[in-house]
Amino acid sequence: MGYYDNQKDTSGQGLYSPSKVLSVADGALDFNLHSEDGQPLVAAVMPDGYAPHTYARMSIRYKTTNTDGYKFVGMLWPSSNVWNEGEIDWPEGDLGQSVRPVSHIPGSYNASTGSMAVDRTAERYTSSDTTGWHTATTEWDKGIIRFYWDGQLISSTTKAVPTTPFRVTLQAETFIGEGTVPKTTDGHVDVDWVSVWDAR
């Protein structure tokens, strides 16, 4: 398993600290998101290391606490680390809230704004939150990505489909938005299992 260590997270508020965040109990991988000396601590792991996948199916069974200031996303990220190749995020959402898929359109990186365009039509929120166990599945096929929640198709995109190798990443970090992370909050993401299949 790979991981990020001693780097700032996406919002810049959290610090990737796997040794202080990650543990295993009762067969589940636990992310304990909390602050030490005023610094929010987070973690991001690659369950099969930096293995590249081009078209794949990824499923994760997980649950979270309802905790202000933190979010979780299961993502497929370019093996090259070139964001302009795209990004597939599912599930994504603040801890304890409903989640949605976010798929970035390859080739849409805007250097002046530092952002990527996404297929907004694919952003459909689940009717349930993440405080109970749920299974999220991403099917990345040629020309289409499908997003499933507990076996039910909730969304798909044909506008934001990468074609280059990506790696699987589970990222628990500080929320993206206005305001600061409460330094007294203590949240958890529990991952029961992750499965990854390569297309043939």
Side-chain angles (χ1 to χ4, degrees), residues 36-188:
E36 292 185 8
D37 298 324
Q39 173 62 64
L41 303 178
V42 296
V45 302
M46 285 71 73
D48 61 347
Y50 287 83
H53 304 278
T54 306
Y55 309 119
R57 177 183 171 97
M58 179 187 78
S59 287
I60 174 174
R61 184 172 188 264
Y62 80 113
K63 68 176 180 178
T64 78
T65 53
N66 186 353
T67 306
D68 290 337
Y70 294 96
K71 65 188 284 284
F72 176 77
V73 58
M75 68 173 10
L76 287 159
W77 177 260
S79 296
S80 65
N81 286 321
V82 176
W83 191 22
N84 198 35
E85 293 178 12
E87 176 184 346
I88 304 169
D89 298 340
W90 173 243
E92 179 168 20
D94 293 345
L95 297 196
Q97 307 302 307
S98 61
V99 294
R100 81 229 188 265
V102 180
S103 200
H104 297 69
I105 300 172
S108 68
Y109 179 72
N110 185 324
S112 63
T113 62
S115 62
M116 290 272 286
V118 301
D119 182 3
R120 296 293 180 192
T121 64
E123 289 189 42
R124 297 180 186 160
Y125 282 86
T126 57
S127 58
S128 52
D129 63 34
T130 60
T131 57
W133 289 107
H134 293 283
T135 301
T137 299
T138 302
E139 279 187 350
W140 171 27
D141 207 345
K142 293 181 181 179
I144 190 169
I145 304 170
R146 302 176 189 89
F147 305 103
Y148 297 86
W149 186 247
D150 294 329
Q152 299 296 313
L153 178 67
I154 68 159
S155 182
S156 64
T157 180
T158 58
K159 298 177 182 177
V161 185
T163 58
T164 57
F166 278 43
R167 65 174 180 262
V168 176
T169 305
L170 307 180
Q171 193 165 279
E173 58 180 10
T174 54
F175 77 128
I176 299 173
E178 297 181 2
T180 57
V181 176
K183 302 303 187 292
T184 57
T185 57
D186 187 302
H188 293 266

